[in-house]
Each structure stands twice: as structure tokens, then as C-alpha cells.
Amino acid sequence: MRHACLAFVLTLWAALAAAYEVEDHRLYPGTGEAVLRIVSTADLEVFEPYLLAYQASRPALSIDYTVVSSADLYRALRGGAAFDLALSSAMDLQFRLANDGFARPHRSDATAALPDWARWRDLIFAFTAEPAVVVLSTERFAGLTVPETRQDLITLLRDHPDRFRGAVGTYDVRDSGLGYLFATQEARSTDAYWRLSEVMGRLDPQLYCCSGQMIDDVTEGRLALAYNVLGSYAAERLARDSGGRVQILRMQDYANVMLRTAIIPATAQQVEAAGGLIDMLARLGLRDAPDDWPLPPLGQGGDAPFTGFGPIRLGPALMVYLDPLNRRAFLTEWENAMEQR
Amino acid sequence: MRSWSIGRRLTLLLAGVAALLSVLSWGMVTSLAQQAAERTQDNVLAASATTIAETLRSEQGEVRLELPYSAFSMLGAIGQDRVFYRVAAGPDLLTGYEDLPAPAGLATPGAVSFDTDTYGGEEIRMATITRLVLAGPGPVPVTVSVAQTRNGVARISAELSRTAALLSVAFFVVAVGLSAFAARASLRPLNEIAAAVSRRGPSDLRPLRRPAPQELEPLLSSLNRLMDRLGQSIRRSEDFIAEAAHRVRTPLATVRTQAEIALRTVGDETEKHRLRGIIRAVDESSRSAGQLLDHATVAFRAEDLSRDPVDLADLAVQTAAALEPTAAMKDIRLRVEAEPAQVMGDAVLLDNALRNVLDNAIKYSPEDTTVVLRVDTQGREARLTIRDEGPGLGDGPVEALTERFRRGANTGGIVGSGLGLTIARDVLQAHGGRLHLQTAEEGKGTCVTLALPLS
């Protein structure tokens, strides 16, 4: 217990030093002294089964799990915060960390089994492939045809401004790393993105930091539609309840597929334990059946190239929209579209 | 110590050349692969920097740009290399990695320059392009640098180098096989000539007449010249022997005649005895000279043997008849028991051989005995056996008696040249037959067999 306290104090101190906001934190004490410090963007309730499974295989290991936003995770690691493993849904930020030398390499049979598109330089490893989806409330969509493409959605929003005013939600790309990644990739891939943003901007859109809150608001009827929600969360929530009040749509013209990635920060001390967890996640990422793990396997991303929507590529191109000039230009354009008061 | 075979030497030499060429070609391919990979990376880096530079523009007196997506996505083409970039307007950083090493030289605007440096602990290759942008009071030189680590280049050249190494080894193995084949093929004429020479009979000194490669012609012609000289030398010495024997025989005949006349005219017994001794010695000398002549004849005729049908029975009868007077002088009876046996051969030589053997038999037989000549056939062989009642062959090695000038151990008191059996053996060998000597079963007398293949 004393170690746990010490770990917590150390974590707190590290958090203060690197100035990031801890959204959630939990310590899973083990029988030994070693503590694996994980910083992640995945909510505890989503990731807890993985942590428990890993701890079951290594009972001696204590696991210290900290949830932060992807932008904070990036800032913390660049600032030298001490973590043993960083899991994030913001591929571009993870890639930039690996590219700039903030990650250390890990090589094992499990990572070698990953397809080429799911790893980069033995520094960064993808273990889930999660699509961006549209979540809508069936109640508030009563009497309307469910849109299948962005063009359908644009037409729908344009034709029923009263019904959707103040009832459309999406990421605030200024705050959310994942939202920014989805938005930039979509802007690059389809010209419908900016038209859709314009239409949404006229409807007083609600901006969110996180997928969870968007889904909550759709379930409770406060939102008619949430755009660019991370599919895995939505699926998990829906499985739990909703009773048919929420419907999930995957756009047929184009859909982003995000790879959730892991890196071992250069500051890591429990390198071996971190590698072991990466190996477990990589093996789970390659499983065939979805099973009852909360996060989907990579397989969906692997099949996707045949349907035209591959996962976002892990490569230097991810750094393009992280460039401050590009980011400023993109945000300016996005604000112009979204905030037409 | 035997020196190395030409074939092995040639094979090793060619294999050495092949190994050298393999290593050279591997080295060349490796360095070319390295160059090609490096040039590819340079081209991609240059394209990336140029693409970024093309977005440079001036807005309200400020330099603006946007990084095109393609400028970075193309950098993923070579491999998984880390990417760094910097855009600076004059001394001021616009965007990118501030601490990226500066390009070595000041490039002329529009031209791409390349640098190799280290950044973040890794070797990087950097392409830099400078463009003048009109911003504010005057044109500002804007430098765009795009850098990449070189792992992809190293991996590509290592892969190509490995492939080249495998190919070189395969090339070497094939070359060694071909070398061995080539060495054997070029040595074949030499081996053929050697085989042709070794196939020849012991006295075949005819020149070699066969097509030979240009390189072997000197060897062949000197070999032929040597054989020619050797043949001439042998012929000369045989001529000399024949001439000498002939020259000796004629005066001997005169001496004998004179001695016989003297024998008749003298009355004193002591003188007669002395004269008889002279006559006997002259006879022996004359016989020896005759055998020397026979030997020369055999050597000469065997070289170009004529093959006529000869009946051994007839031959036995004739030769026995010819030696009848000599035998009668010692009261020796010659009995011929012959059945026809046809062989192919030179009648003169066969007669010569038989006469020498029969002469021996008469010479070594005691007085008042019988010498039997028997002709019969056994299987594919005709056999002429001469059997006497003399002292036999003694204890020495039997086959040695046919050597030239070799005489038996128990010939004391009897004069002889030691050529008789040599002549007989040479004649039979020239005919493809053999001479067989043995002491008769009862331990008394000698049995000499002339065996010849039946025609």
C-alpha cells in the first residue's frame, strides 16, 4: 500500500511537472514492487478488461492507469513525463512522438506477426481498427429516411433545419486530437466534408470533446445526430442498453478507420512489462472472432482496403496536419464553417 | 614428386578467374544498388521539398505556405524512415524542426542541394531548395529542407546485395563446372594421341598419322622423328649384325675346307686330332654366325610379317629331313609323328624357329638316341612338340632360357651361342603363339612345345 501511495504521489508529481489534466486514474496493486505506468486515452471502463487480463498473467505487477486526452498525452510525453506505455487513439500525435524520437523500439514474435500497415519501425503498434460512424436518435429521426452518404445527410439537414437546429453534435477539433485527425483525413479524402460542415454550422452544432458524451446525449434525446463518433464506443454503449433508441450508421461513400496505437515512451522503466502488454494487445488485435473484448480487432481494418476505406496510413503524411501553419489554416477554415452566428 | 595435371591446373585457374569475377560483379552490383537506392531517396526528397516550395506565397507582406499531404506521403515510399523538415524565411523559422542541421552551402534559388548529416542520433539525408518570395519590402529567400533517415536505403541495398551474392555464388558454381568440362575437352586430343601410342605393339615404329590440333603438331612431329630415328638405328644395327655374320661365315668356310684337306693329307694321329678340333670349332662359329643372321632375319621379317597358310606337319617333315645329316653324325634318329595342322604365318621364320629348336635337341642329345617331333592340335591351338633324351633343362628358371645369350646351367662342354631359343620365341610371339619349355616327365630329356593359333 505504501508503494501504491508512493506511485500515486509520483504520478501526481509527474502530472504537475508535465502539466496535463488527469481525467481518470486507477491503481491495480500487484503482489510485487514493479509498477507499470500506463497513460491512455481509453476510458477505464473500456480498458479495464485488458488490464485485468494482463495482471492475471503477471500477478506481481502493479498497474497504474491514467486517462488523459490525446493532446495532453502528446504534450506530457514531449515534456518528458515518465510513463512505461502510451496508448492513444490519435495516430498522428503518436506517430509524431515516434518520429521525433520519444519512443523506444520493441521487437517480438507478436509484433512481427502484425501486418506492415499496423506497425512502423518497431516503434509504434496498432492493436485495434475503429471506424468513424454517425450515431442518430431513432426517436428524433421518426419519419425521415436514414441517410447513407454525406450527400444524403447534407440534403436531409438542409431540408429540415428546424428539426436539427441545436441537435447536431460533433467533435470540437480544437480540443480533441481524435476529432482533428478524423476531420483532417476526411477533408483530404472527400470534398463533401466542407459542405457538410457549412450546413452543420448553420444549425448551431454542439461541440464535444469526447465520444462518450455525444453518445449519452443522443441516447437521452438531446441530440438527433452525432457525427464522426468513434465506432467502438458507440457499439459498446449500444450493446449495454438503449432499447432501439439509438442507431449507428457507417457512411457508404467514405469512412475513416482509426488505428489505436501503442508506443513505449523513451522515458519508460518497465520496458519488459510494457512490451508484454503490447504483445498481448497485438495478439488480441489479430484475433479472428470479435469475442467479448470491448475493442474491435485489426481484422476489420485489414479487410477494408477491398471496400475502399482502408485504415488511416501510419506514415509521415500524418505529420502534415500537425504542422502549426497547416493546423492554423485548417482550424480557421473549420471555425468559419462551424461558427456562423 | 609428380607435377600437377594440366587438367586440374586449367580447372583451378579458370575457377580462380571465375571466383575473382564473381566477387567483382557482386561488389559492383552492391555499390550500384547502393547508389541507385540513394539516388531514389534523393529524388523523392527533392520532389517533396519542391512540392512544399511550390506552395510558398506572400499574403499581406507575410510568407505563407501549406505543407501538401503528398509531400509527406511520398516519403513513405522508400521505407519506414523518420522524417524531419524545416522552412525558414531568411534567418526566421516559419515551421518545422528548428534544430535541424543547416544545409552546408548557400544554394542558388530554385536548385535542389543535398546534404548528409546526423540528427537525433541517426544519419539523415536532406534535400534543400531555396525560393525567393516577395514579402514586405523586398524578396526574402525562403529555404525548404526535407530530411529523412537512411534505414530504407540501407535495407534496400542490403537486400539487393544479398541477392547479388546468391547470384554470384551460383555463377561461380556454374563456372567451375564449365571450367572442368573445358579443361577435359581441351585435353582430349592429347589423351587420344597418348592412347594411340600406347596401343602400339612393342616393335611398331611407324609414324603417327592422325589429325592433331595446331599446338600438338610439334610434339607429334618430333615424336615421329624420334621413332623414325629409332627405327633407322635398329635397322642399322641389324644390318650390321647380318653383315658381320656374313663376313665371318665366308672366311670360316674357307678355313674349314682347308682344314678338311689338311686332315686328309696328314697321317699323324695327333695332327688329325688337332685338325678335327679346329673343324669342330669352326663349325660352331659358323653356326653362331648363322644364328646371328637368323636373329637379324627374324627381327626384320617380324616387323612386316607375311601370313601364308603353312602346314606344321609338312614343316616338321622338311626340317627334320634337312637336319637328318647332322643327326646321323651322332647316330641320332629323328622320328616325326605328325597330323595336319594348318596355321597362318611366315614359312621361312617358322622353319627358322623349328630348326633352332631341333638343332638344340640334337646338340644336347647323347649319341644313339631318338628325337621325336609330334604335331597335333589342341582346342584352337596347333602344337609342335620336340622331345629329346638329353640332360634336360637343369634347375634354373625355365623362362629365362629364352633370353638372349642366356644358356642353361648344365651345358658344360657344349659350345653354343644362347640365341636359338630367343629366335624361336621371337618368331612365335610375332605369330601370336608361344614357346613352352619343360623337362620331360621321366626327368630325362627336354620337351619344347611350339604353340600357334590354328588358322
Side-chain angles (χ1 to χ4, degrees):
Chain A
M1 196 59 209
R2 209 176 57 219
H3 289 300
C5 283
L6 187 66
F8 183 73
V9 169
L10 280 176
T11 311
L12 207 63
W13 175 78
L16 286 172
Y20 54 86
E21 188 183 335
V22 174
E23 292 176 2
D24 205 349
H25 174 262
R26 189 172 294 172
L27 178 72
Y28 299 85
T31 57
E33 295 195 0
V35 182
L36 177 67
R37 291 158 305 163
I38 302 173
V39 63
S40 168
T41 60
D43 294 343
L44 250 178
E45 49 192 304
V46 171
F47 213 70
E48 189 158 46
Y50 296 93
L51 299 177
L52 294 178
Y54 190 55
Q55 205 175 33
S57 69
R58 298 181 182 220
L61 189 70
S62 302
I63 297 178
D64 177 280
Y65 189 79
T66 309
V67 181
V68 298
S69 76
S70 54
D72 277 350
L73 187 152
Y74 174 74
R75 270 195 295 276
L77 288 185
R78 278 200 94 94
F83 286 105
D84 299 316
L85 187 63
L87 311 171
S88 173
S89 52
M91 295 168 71
D92 45 359
L93 296 173
Q94 292 277 83
F95 183 87
R96 177 92 196 227
L97 286 172
N99 184 72
D100 292 0
F102 292 97
R104 65 163 68 211
H106 169 67
R107 204 170 285 126
S108 71
D109 291 347
T111 60
L114 285 174
D116 281 346
W117 52 262
R119 62 190 158 104
W120 188 79
R121 281 179 75 98
D122 298 322
L123 290 174
I124 175 166
F125 309 96
F127 58 96
T128 70
E130 301 166 45
V133 296
V134 175
V135 179
L136 54 85
S137 155
T138 42
E139 206 178 303
R140 298 195 57 164
F141 254 76
L144 297 177
T145 25
V146 171
E148 289 194 334
T149 64
R150 284 177 181 74
Q151 192 54 51
D152 291 350
L153 186 59
I154 290 167
T155 315
L156 194 70
L157 294 178
R158 210 176 260 158
D159 290 353
H160 305 275
D162 297 335
R163 196 189 281 228
F164 290 109
R165 190 171 307 281
V168 176
T170 188
Y171 275 116
D172 186 342
V173 302
R174 292 165 297 193
D175 292 344
S176 162
L178 179 61
Y180 183 70
L181 175 67
F182 278 157
T184 50
Q185 291 293 327
E186 199 171 316
R188 184 178 71 78
S189 304
T190 166
D191 55 356
Y193 176 75
W194 288 119
R195 283 189 284 130
L196 183 59
S197 297
E198 294 271 343
V199 173
M200 281 203 258
R202 280 200 287 274
L203 295 171
D204 182 22
Q206 307 300 305
L207 299 177
Y208 291 81
C209 76
C210 317
S211 283
Q213 292 167 14
M214 270 192 273
I215 294 170
D216 286 345
D217 283 0
V218 172
T219 316
E220 284 158 24
R222 279 197 290 277
L223 285 182
L225 171 145
Y227 183 74
N228 261 356
V229 177
L230 198 52
S232 57
Y233 287 120
E236 200 236 351
R237 298 252 174 157
L238 284 185
R240 203 187 297 160
D241 78 309
S242 97
R245 277 175 296 163
V246 169
Q247 193 179 349
I248 289 184
L249 285 181
R250 199 161 167 177
M251 289 285 113
Q252 297 299 305
D253 51 348
Y254 171 83
N256 272 313
V257 177
M258 176 275 286
L259 300 175
R260 195 179 290 271
T261 55
I263 61 173
I264 302 179
T267 54
Q269 276 150 23
Q270 299 292 332
V271 177
E272 194 275 330
L277 183 51
I278 287 183
D279 291 350
M280 187 191 95
L281 293 173
R283 272 190 281 270
L284 286 175
L286 291 174
R287 70 188 190 270
D288 291 331
D291 295 331
D292 45 1
W293 295 98
L295 297 173
L298 285 169
Q300 296 175 1
D303 296 339
F306 299 104
T307 61
F309 319 136
I312 298 167
R313 249 168 58 86
L314 268 179
L318 282 174
M319 300 191 347
V320 166
Y321 291 105
L322 293 182
D323 182 80
L325 295 181
N326 278 19
R327 184 176 164 86
R328 203 167 63 207
F330 185 87
L331 290 182
T332 307
E333 200 168 349
W334 182 83
E335 280 168 352
N336 287 343
M338 278 294 184
E339 299 184 335
Q340 306 173 8
R341 305 249 166 99
Chain B
M1 202 182 105
R2 241 175 80 178
S3 70
W4 277 28
S5 86
I6 297 181
R8 190 186 299 177
R9 219 182 286 186
L10 207 57
T11 309
L12 277 177
L13 202 66
L14 290 174
V17 170
L20 191 69
L21 286 178
S22 299
V23 170
L24 275 179
S25 74
W26 171 75
M28 265 154 56
V29 170
T30 301
S31 89
L32 283 178
Q34 171 99 29
Q35 280 175 27
E38 282 174 4
R39 198 167 302 168
T40 307
Q41 184 178 36
D42 283 358
N43 289 344
V44 174
L45 283 172
S48 176
T50 311
T51 316
I52 295 171
E54 276 166 1
T55 67
L56 288 169
R57 62 191 185 278
S58 164
E59 269 176 26
Q60 296 151 4
E62 269 186 66
V63 178
R64 292 284 172 84
L65 81 152
E66 63 193 55
L67 295 178
Y69 189 80
S70 59
F72 276 31
S73 67
M74 70 172 80
L75 292 173
I78 293 176
Q80 298 185 332
D81 278 302
R82 294 165 68 183
V83 171
F84 312 102
Y85 65 100
R86 183 180 56 195
V87 184
D92 307 323
L93 178 80
L94 284 180
T95 185
Y97 294 70
E98 189 162 20
D99 50 350
L100 197 65
L106 273 178
T108 48
V112 183
S113 67
F114 297 99
D115 295 280
T116 308
D117 218 317
T118 44
Y119 180 70
E122 275 195 85
E123 191 186 12
I124 55 164
R125 183 76 173 164
M126 184 165 73
T128 306
I129 186 167
T130 305
R131 251 191 76 188
L132 292 174
V133 179
L134 270 172
V140 182
V142 180
T143 313
V144 178
S145 296
V146 179
Q148 206 176 18
T149 53
R150 314 192 84 178
N151 308 60
V153 168
R155 187 180 47 79
I156 292 171
S157 26
E159 268 170 24
L160 286 173
S161 172
R162 205 159 38 237
T163 312
L166 283 178
L167 283 177
S168 293
V169 168
F171 167 77
F172 174 71
V173 168
V174 170
V176 167
L178 289 178
S179 305
F181 172 76
R184 200 164 306 159
S186 14
L187 287 177
R188 192 174 302 138
L190 198 61
N191 292 336
E192 281 173 0
I193 287 174
V197 172
S198 62
R199 259 201 311 274
R200 294 196 153 198
S203 52
D204 188 353
L205 292 176
R206 285 171 303 159
L208 274 174
R209 299 259 176 259
R210 52 167 44 244
Q214 197 185 344
E215 291 81 359
L216 287 182
E217 264 169 15
L219 175 69
L220 207 57
S221 64
S222 43
L223 187 66
N224 283 341
R225 270 202 303 280
L226 176 70
M227 287 202 294
D228 187 39
R229 278 205 303 278
L230 186 64
Q232 276 177 8
S233 153
I234 289 172
R235 265 194 300 283
R236 238 189 339 259
S237 66
E238 276 167 0
D239 285 352
F240 174 78
I241 292 167
E243 183 69 24
H246 183 68
R247 290 267 175 103
V248 169
R249 234 163 35 160
T250 314
L252 279 180
T254 316
V255 172
R256 192 182 195 281
T257 314
Q258 295 296 329
E260 271 182 1
I261 292 168
L263 189 64
R264 254 177 254 135
T265 49
V266 295
D268 181 29
E269 268 311 305
T270 324
E271 296 287 311
K272 280 192 178 185
H273 183 72
R274 203 168 284 155
L275 281 170
R276 275 197 206 97
I278 291 171
I279 289 171
R280 202 160 56 239
V282 167
D283 276 353
E284 281 307 320
S285 299
S286 162
R287 233 168 66 91
S288 293
Q291 279 183 328
L292 281 173
L293 243 174
D294 281 354
H295 186 259
T297 311
V298 168
F300 174 72
R301 292 186 73 118
E303 234 176 73
D304 192 15
L305 194 71
S306 68
R307 295 208 173 259
D308 306 315
V310 179
D311 188 355
L312 278 190
D314 288 351
L315 188 73
V317 170
Q318 279 165 23
T319 312
L323 286 176
E324 192 70 53
T326 321
M329 275 171 69
K330 290 174 78 175
D331 287 333
I332 290 170
R333 294 169 294 281
L334 297 178
R335 200 167 79 228
V336 180
E337 301 169 357
E339 53 186 79
Q342 195 86 354
V343 297
M344 300 300 285
D346 188 325
V348 176
L349 288 187
L350 288 174
D351 172 60
N352 226 323
L354 179 55
R355 190 138 39 88
N356 274 291
V357 173
L358 197 54
D359 195 52
N360 265 356
I362 292 166
K363 192 162 65 181
Y364 294 110
S365 286
E367 293 193 354
D368 197 19
T369 54
T370 308
V371 172
V372 181
L373 289 89
R374 180 181 294 129
V375 178
D376 58 2
T377 57
Q378 196 169 46
R380 305 259 331 123
E381 258 184 358
R383 289 150 52 103
L384 204 169
T385 314
I386 298 101
R387 188 168 166 187
D388 60 39
E389 295 171 21
L393 295 167
D395 302 328
V398 171
E399 296 306 322
L401 294 176
T402 57
E403 282 172 28
R404 222 188 286 193
F405 306 119
R406 172 70 71 110
R407 303 188 63 209
N410 53 354
T411 55
I414 301 172
V415 287
S417 64
L419 269 176
L421 289 179
T422 310
I423 293 167
R425 184 201 60 188
D426 287 354
V427 169
L428 284 163
Q429 275 179 356
H431 283 82
R434 66 201 157 82
L435 183 74
H436 186 66
L437 303 174
Q438 72 182 103
T439 305
E441 291 87 359
E442 300 87 30
K444 192 123 178 72
T446 309
C447 190
V448 180
T449 307
L450 287 68
L452 284 162
L454 275 170
S455 68

